[in-house]
């Protein structure tokens, strides 16, 4: 059944047009660098095609003409200095004509200066965080494809959406025709940020800042995925970049800045337990449920939270493990003090636990030091 | 042919005094003792080859697990964490369990025979180096069943990810240690045998190409196996003893691991490819009925590849963010490897040119090797261009590239070697029809499996993902069908080998292919002890003249 479905998909797909249109070649380049890379690749493929025809032509001519079964007698030559020198020098020269244009592109790729907009992309297990450093706001960008579409364990699952695994809760938005510098870093393990249509790919390394740049030629939505194995959900952290007009970008930035101001938690606010539990549920569902399950039952290497030593034991240890991680659990230092206070309170008073105590943001702030 | 009668006379002369060898010295062991206490290079070679075949099947079944999951979008069989364990173990097992021991096994079996030596230099250590392998393999298999499962960070085990796993990772580290110790001991043995135990008259520049590639390969191994051991030991101390080599929080550098790993890892690629070059350089001249073209440039090319392999490691890391100058240096060096590799391919084709070729199974695999290895070389050239590599890095293009080099390169040459020397090992001829079927079946399905991966990579499908966006569906389905067919076809090989051991299609003559290296001068099957006294210089010289080395 699955086989038939895959065959049907295989027959049907070429007729579809997706945002990612590469099929036998790179996706359509949207930046100068991607365009250059495309040209380089085409040039190398042309060189290779010529060598391929020449070398395989000689070999197959020999295979067909110099067979013992067709009565060909072997001739016993076994060296010829002239040809050996020639077929060392000629490939070396070919390499020079390949290396020259490639070197120019390397230098252009590495020139991240004069950027008009700088965005920090942080890799988390397993989603991306984008901080608009020039504008003072940021957000998390997570996989938007529902689990019901992904899980086929018991049946064929839900029908998959058009941008299956390539859709996010909130895309990165950049203005068209603007040199954007992307700073990459990571919270836990190495991730890699890349958008094929832009010709960029840069590892995001914990403890280090690396950079890359792109300047999108046209308006549209472009998609990529994390390309460095980063653990369980490596296949489920897409990168979506929406390129919009400069005016639209400005309007969007204004809106985000206002939202950020409104949504910012006052770190000194004193919360009630019920407020914390309510807030904690959203934090838990967004960050913890993927591994520990929505009901706290756990699964695989991830322990159950219901009745566990951590969630019912001393609160300091509980905060510590959320902040610093342990084993396969990443450190959650990227969450705000309020969010951590809320989620810890939620885990201690919901999911079947009834410890009764609760944590204020200032406790988390103290624990961070 | 007059040469043939010469062979027989000289062979008798060379073997004089060998008859009844079992009567003097020591008693041959029988039963399990023969294998557990084995010090005979042929027995150890056999052990190595069977071990590597068992690992090939194990790693292959894991690959099929991967391809089953990837047949269609969505998660159907495995949880993502188990999928990652499969890809990791598949890689480690194929590299360290299947390909490397297979070449060590071949070297064990064939080097003393080809060089005219009675055995390997350190026979007892040889036993030890083999018997480290099964426990190492066991550790890897056991790691699947410990809490948290096996290591799931890819065969490269990059930290900080590899610092997150449970004890499966520790088992993998110990396993890599054992495998490394085994490889180093095997290498020392092979190097010493080649340098010290050649027959009189066989200078280094006159020994068979296979011996040359074995010599250079094992030098590489001695140089880099300790580097890998160092890297995984640092992982171990980071995991358990509070060091911060690779932890940024303590001032360490996660990228440092990648530099150390690939300083090992890139030569490792050639450790798996160079002996394959050696095997092909034995097979092509035999079935072309011509001496190897450009023996000297072959030796120089092999040595150049080995030296260059130490200067290109960072081309695996073009996306970690290096300065432009480093990017350019590693790009130029990497491109340079195409020159000696090209020389080798041209030499093989010149060896075939104007020959009198016949296409028995070993030759088919050797020609198949040249065709597919060249394709892998071309995609390697594409990847060497740093900006293009930025697009391809960690996509299926890379998966396609290294499978063209390692499956079609190392594995096909190993199949060729087995068919080529099987008559010598067993004393019987294998079933030629079945051998040819095995070749064509493998050739077709190999391409169905791995060629579409080039397109997947170009279109941007990341490697090591358990589920993928819809536009990658058809090529993945194709690759999965290909993989299952390719896998099943390998049972043909197993059947043919077992059938040959049990008598095949009849007894094999001493020199079924009319080849000219020394192993064909001893009877088939090769007696338990050979060359107890060195081969006669005239015999050595006759072979060298036929190979145009004198």
């Amino acid at each position: 059944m699955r086989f038939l479905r895959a065959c049907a998909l295989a027959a049907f797909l070429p007729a579809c047009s997706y945002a990612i249109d590469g099929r036998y070649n790179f996706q359509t380049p949207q930046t100068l660098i991607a365009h250059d890379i495309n040209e380089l690749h085409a040039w190398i493929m042309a060189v290779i095609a010529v060598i391929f025809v020449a070398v395989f032509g000689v070999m197959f001519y020999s295979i067909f003409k110099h067979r013992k079964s067709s009565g060909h007698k072997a001739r016993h030559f076994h060296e010829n200095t002239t040809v050996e020198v020639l077929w060392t020098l000629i490939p070396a020269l070919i390499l020079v004509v390949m290396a020259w244009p490639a070197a120019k592109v390397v230098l252009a790729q590495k020139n991240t200066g004069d950027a008009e907009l700088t965005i920090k992309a942080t890799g988390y297990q397993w989603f991306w965080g984008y901080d608009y450093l020039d504008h003072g706001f940021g957000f998390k960008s997570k996989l938007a494809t529902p689990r019901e579409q992904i899980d086929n364990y018991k049946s064929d699952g839900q029908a998959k959406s058009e941008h299956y695994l390539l859709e996010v809760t909130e895309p990165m938005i950049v203005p068209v025709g603007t040199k954007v510098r992307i700073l990459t870093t990571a919270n836990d393990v190495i991730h890699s940020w890349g958008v094929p249509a832009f010709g960029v790919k840069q590892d995001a390394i914990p403890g280090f800042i690396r950079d890359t740049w792109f300047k999108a030629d046209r308006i549209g939505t472009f998609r990529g995925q994390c390309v460095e194995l980063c653990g369980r959900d490596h296949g489920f952290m897409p990168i979506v970049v929406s390129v919009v007009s400069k005016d639209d970008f400005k309007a969007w930035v204004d809106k985000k800045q206002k939202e950020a101001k409104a949504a910012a938690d006052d770190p000194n606010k004193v919360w009630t337990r019920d407020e914390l539990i309510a807030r904690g549920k959203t934090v838990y569902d967004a960050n913890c449920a993927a591994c520990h399950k929505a009901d706290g039952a756990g699964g695989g290497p991830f322990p159950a939270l219901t009745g566990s030593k951590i969630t019912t034991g001393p609160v300091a240890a509980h905060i510590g493990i959320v902040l610093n991680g342990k084993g396969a659990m990443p450190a959650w230092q990227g969450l705000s003090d309020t969010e951590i206070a809320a989620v810890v309170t939620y885990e201690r008073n919901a999911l079947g636990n009834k410890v009764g105590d609760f944590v204020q943001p200032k406790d988390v702030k103290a624990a961070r030091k | 042919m007059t040469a043939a009668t010469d062979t027989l006379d000289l062979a008798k002369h060379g073997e004089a005094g060998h008859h009844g060898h079992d009567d003097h010295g020591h008693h041959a062991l029988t039963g399990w003792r023969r294998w557990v206490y084995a010090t005979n290079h042929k027995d150890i070679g056999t052990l190595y080859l069977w071990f590597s075949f068992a690992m090939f099947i194990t790693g292959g079944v894991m690959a099929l697990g991967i391809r089953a999951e990837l047949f269609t979008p969505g998660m159907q069989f495995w949880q993502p964490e188990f999928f990652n364990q499969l890809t990791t173990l598949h890689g480690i097992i194929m590299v360290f369990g299947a390909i490397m021991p297979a070449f060590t096994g071949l070297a064990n079996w064939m080097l003393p025979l080809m060089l005219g030596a009675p055995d390997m230099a350190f026979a007892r250590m040889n036993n030890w180096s083999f018997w480290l392998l099964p426990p190492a393999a066991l550790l890897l298999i056991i790691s699947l069943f410990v809490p948290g499962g096996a290591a799931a960070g890819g065969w490269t085990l990059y930290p900080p990810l590899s610092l997150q796993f449970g004890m499966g990772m520790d088992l993998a580290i110990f396993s890599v240690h054992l495998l490394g110790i085994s490889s180093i001991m095997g290498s020392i043995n092979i190097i010493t045998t080649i340098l010290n135990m050649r027959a009189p008259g066989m200078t280094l520049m006159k020994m068979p190409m296979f011996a040359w590639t074995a010599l250079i390969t094992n030098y590489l191994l001695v140089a880099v196996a300790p580097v890998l051991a160092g890297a995984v030991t640092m992982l171990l101390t980071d995991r358990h003893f509070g060091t911060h080599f690779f932890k940024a929080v303590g001032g360490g550098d996660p990228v440092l691991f990648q530099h150390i790993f690939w300083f090992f890892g890139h030569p490792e690629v050639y450790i798996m490819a160079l002996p394959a070059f050696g095997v092909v350089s034995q097979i092509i001249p035999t079935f072309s009925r011509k001496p190897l073209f450009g023996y000297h440039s072959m030796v120089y090319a092999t040595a150049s590849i080995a030296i260059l392999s130490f200067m290109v490691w960072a081309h695996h890391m073009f996306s970690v963010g290096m300065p432009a100058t480093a990017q350019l240096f590693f790009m130029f060096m990497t491109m340079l490897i195409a020159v000696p590799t090209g020389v080798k391919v041209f030499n093989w084709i010149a060896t075939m040119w104007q020959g009198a070729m016949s296409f028995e199974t070993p030759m088919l695999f050797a020609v198949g090797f040249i065709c597919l290895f060249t394709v892998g070389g071309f995609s390697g050239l594409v990847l060497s261009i740093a900006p293009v590599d930025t697009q391809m890095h960690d996509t299926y293009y890379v998966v396609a590239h290294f499978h063209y080099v390692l499956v079609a390169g190392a594995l096909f040459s190993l199949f060729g070697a087995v068919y080529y020397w099987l008559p010598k090992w067993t004393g019987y001829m294998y079933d030629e029809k079945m051998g040819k079927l095995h070749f064509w079946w493998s050739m077709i399905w190999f391409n169905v499996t791995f060629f579409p991966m080039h397109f997947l990579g170009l279109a941007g499908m990341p490697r090591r993902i358990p589920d993928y966006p819809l536009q990658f569906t058809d090529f993945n389905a194709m690759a999965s069908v290909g993989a299952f067919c390719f896998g099943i076809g390998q049972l043909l090989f197993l059947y043919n080998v077992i059938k040959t051991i049990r008598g095949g299609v009849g007894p094999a003559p001493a020199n079924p292919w009319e080849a000219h290296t020394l192993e064909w001068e001893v009877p088939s099957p090769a007696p338990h002890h050979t060359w107890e006294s060195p081969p006669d210089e005239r015999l050595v010289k006759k072979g060298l003249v036929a190979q145009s080395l004198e």
Side-chain angles (χ1 to χ4, degrees), chain A residues 23 27 66 68 72 75 77-78 84 95 110 125 150 152-153 164 196 201 203 210 227-228 232, chain B residues 71 75-76 78 81 84 164 290 294 297 319-320 322 335 354-355 357 390-391 393-394 459 467 474:
Chain A
R23 179 151 188 82
Q27 299 173 23
H66 306 149
K68 189 181 170 219
H72 194 270
R75 294 185 27 209
F77 62 88
H78 60 91
E84 288 177 67
L95 287 183
K110 283 284 168 189
Q125 280 174 319
I150 297 170
N152 284 2
Y153 295 114
Y164 178 70
K201 183 176 291 166
D203 287 0
R210 296 283 198 256
V227 271
E228 179 65 56
R232 201 182 62 126
Chain B
F71 177 67
M75 302 296 305
Q76 27 269 324
W78 320 123
E81 51 266 38
N84 291 345
Q164 288 185 346
K290 262 184 72 198
S297 58
S319 69
V320 299
M322 277 178 280
M335 295 173 81
Q354 294 288 0
M357 278 183 275
T390 313
Q391 284 289 63
H393 179 75
D394 262 329
D467 190 10
D474 46 357

Side-chain angles (χ1 to χ4, degrees), chain A residues 2-6 9-10 13-14 18 20 22-27 34 37 40-41 44-45 48 51-52 55-56 58-63 66-69 72-80 83-84 87-88 91-92 95 98-100 102-103 105-107 109-110 125 147 149-153 160-162 164-166 188-190 192 195-203 205-208 210 225-236 299-302 327-330, chain B residues 71-81 84 88 148 152-154 158-161 163-165 248 252-255 258 288-297 318-324 327-328 331-332 335-336 338-339 343 345-347 349-350 352-359 367 370-371 374-375 378-379 381-382 385-395 397 455-456 458-475 477 481 546 548:
Chain A
R2 285 209 176 106
F3 179 72
L4 285 179
R5 201 155 49 90
L9 265 176
L13 277 169
Y18 285 110
I20 291 183
R23 179 151 188 82
Y24 299 105
N25 205 339
F26 290 131
Q27 299 173 23
I37 290 173
L40 261 183
H41 182 248
I44 296 159
M45 288 308 286
I48 285 174
I51 302 173
F52 186 89
V55 171
F56 280 68
V58 171
M59 186 170 80
F60 280 103
Y61 177 85
S62 176
I63 285 175
H66 306 149
R67 301 176 82 100
K68 189 181 170 219
S69 57
H72 194 270
K73 292 271 179 294
R75 294 185 27 209
H76 276 259
F77 62 88
H78 60 91
E79 56 186 8
N80 182 328
V83 299
E84 288 177 67
W87 70 37
T88 312
L95 287 183
M98 287 165 64
W100 182 254
V105 181
V106 168
L107 294 175
Q109 241 180 344
K110 283 284 168 189
Q125 280 174 319
R147 275 277 149 191
Q149 286 187 24
I150 297 170
D151 289 343
N152 284 2
Y153 295 114
K160 311 215 181 304
S161 50
E162 188 191 2
Y164 178 70
L165 298 189
L166 290 176
D188 30 50
V189 302
I190 302 176
S192 189
V195 177
F198 295 164
V200 292
K201 183 176 291 166
Q202 178 58 56
D203 287 0
I205 302 161
F208 291 82
R210 296 283 198 256
Q225 293 178 278
C226 174
V227 271
E228 179 65 56
L229 177 60
C230 57
R232 201 182 62 126
D233 280 357
H234 167 50
F236 305 98
F302 302 98
M329 167 152 166
Chain B
F71 177 67
T72 176
M75 302 296 305
Q76 27 269 324
F77 297 111
W78 320 123
Q79 297 293 330
E81 51 266 38
N84 291 345
T88 306
Y158 281 0
L161 182 61
L163 303 177
Q164 288 185 346
F165 305 123
D253 182 352
V255 180
Q258 300 187 19
S288 303
R289 291 162 185 82
K290 262 184 72 198
L292 180 68
F293 187 90
Y295 174 88
H296 291 89
S297 58
F318 278 149
S319 69
V320 299
M322 277 178 280
Q327 208 102 330
L328 290 176
M331 177 172 89
F332 295 148
M335 295 173 81
L336 217 50
V339 174
V343 167
V345 173
F346 298 144
N347 277 341
I349 290 173
M352 290 157 72
W353 183 253
Q354 294 288 0
M357 278 183 275
S358 58
F359 294 90
V367 175
I370 297 182
C371 293
T374 306
V375 174
F378 282 144
S379 59
L381 189 59
V382 172
I385 309 293
V388 180
D389 180 85
T390 313
Q391 284 289 63
M392 314 281 213
H393 179 75
D394 262 329
T395 68
Y397 194 90
F455 300 128
L456 287 173
L458 283 165
M461 177 172 163
R463 61 194 279 214
R464 295 163 165 164
I465 55 174
D467 190 10
Y468 48 82
L470 298 180
Q471 73 269 24
F472 304 129
T473 306
D474 46 357
F475 285 132
V481 171
S548 299

Side-chain angles (χ1 to χ4, degrees), chain B residues 281-304:
Chain B
S281 302
Q282 298 305 129
I283 294 176
I284 298 268
T286 299
F287 294 93
S288 303
R289 291 162 185 82
K290 262 184 72 198
L292 180 68
F293 187 90
Y295 174 88
H296 291 89
S297 58
M298 281 299 220
V299 172
Y300 300 140
T302 312
S304 320

Side-chain angles (χ1 to χ4, degrees), chain B residues 159 254 365 428 506:
Chain B
F365 272 106
Y428 301 108

Side-chain angles (χ1 to χ4, degrees), chain B residues 34 36 77 234 263 278 282 290 292 295 309 420 492 509 516 526:
Chain B
R34 172 178 173 190
V36 174
F77 297 111
M234 286 152 93
F263 187 79
Q282 298 305 129
K290 262 184 72 198
L292 180 68
Y295 174 88
S309 75
Y420 184 57
L492 263 177
H516 301 289

Side-chain angles (χ1 to χ4, degrees), chain B residues 201-392:
Chain B
M202 189 183 281
T203 60
L204 279 177
M205 269 304 185
K206 283 175 185 168
M207 62 183 191
M209 244 351 260
F210 179 67
W212 257 115
T213 56
L215 180 66
I216 293 174
T217 302
N218 286 287
Y219 264 111
L220 285 182
L221 248 178
V222 172
V224 299
V227 177
L228 175 68
V232 294
T233 308
M234 286 152 93
L235 275 187
L236 193 72
T237 61
D238 266 12
R239 286 167 57 78
H240 298 294
F241 305 113
T243 57
H244 293 89
F245 291 110
F246 310 126
K247 286 183 193 161
V249 282
D253 182 352
V255 180
L256 173 67
F257 179 88
Q258 300 187 19
H259 283 292
I260 305 174
F261 180 87
W262 286 113
F263 187 79
F264 147 82
H266 197 79
E268 168 70 20
V269 173
Y270 289 99
I271 287 166
M272 292 185 277
L274 291 182
F277 296 170
V279 167
V280 169
S281 302
Q282 298 305 129
I283 294 176
I284 298 268
T286 299
F287 294 93
S288 303
R289 291 162 185 82
K290 262 184 72 198
L292 180 68
F293 187 90
Y295 174 88
H296 291 89
S297 58
M298 281 299 220
V299 172
Y300 300 140
T302 312
S304 320
I305 293 173
I307 292 165
L308 280 173
S309 75
F310 283 106
M311 293 190 261
V312 299
W313 76 88
H315 68 211
H316 297 264
M317 307 159 52
F318 278 149
S319 69
V320 299
M322 277 178 280
T325 39
Q327 208 102 330
L328 290 176
F329 171 81
F330 286 110
M331 177 172 89
F332 295 148
M333 282 298 166
T334 306
M335 295 173 81
L336 217 50
I337 289 189
V339 174
T341 316
V343 167
K344 299 201 75 115
V345 173
F346 298 144
N347 277 341
W348 288 321
I349 290 173
T351 308
M352 290 157 72
W353 183 253
Q354 294 288 0
M357 278 183 275
S358 58
F359 294 90
E360 288 86 346
T361 312
M363 182 65 163
L364 286 178
F365 272 106
V367 175
F369 164 92
I370 297 182
C371 293
L372 300 179
F373 188 84
T374 306
V375 174
F378 282 144
S379 59
L381 189 59
V382 172
L383 287 170
S384 75
I385 309 293
V388 180
D389 180 85
T390 313
Q391 284 289 63
M392 314 281 213

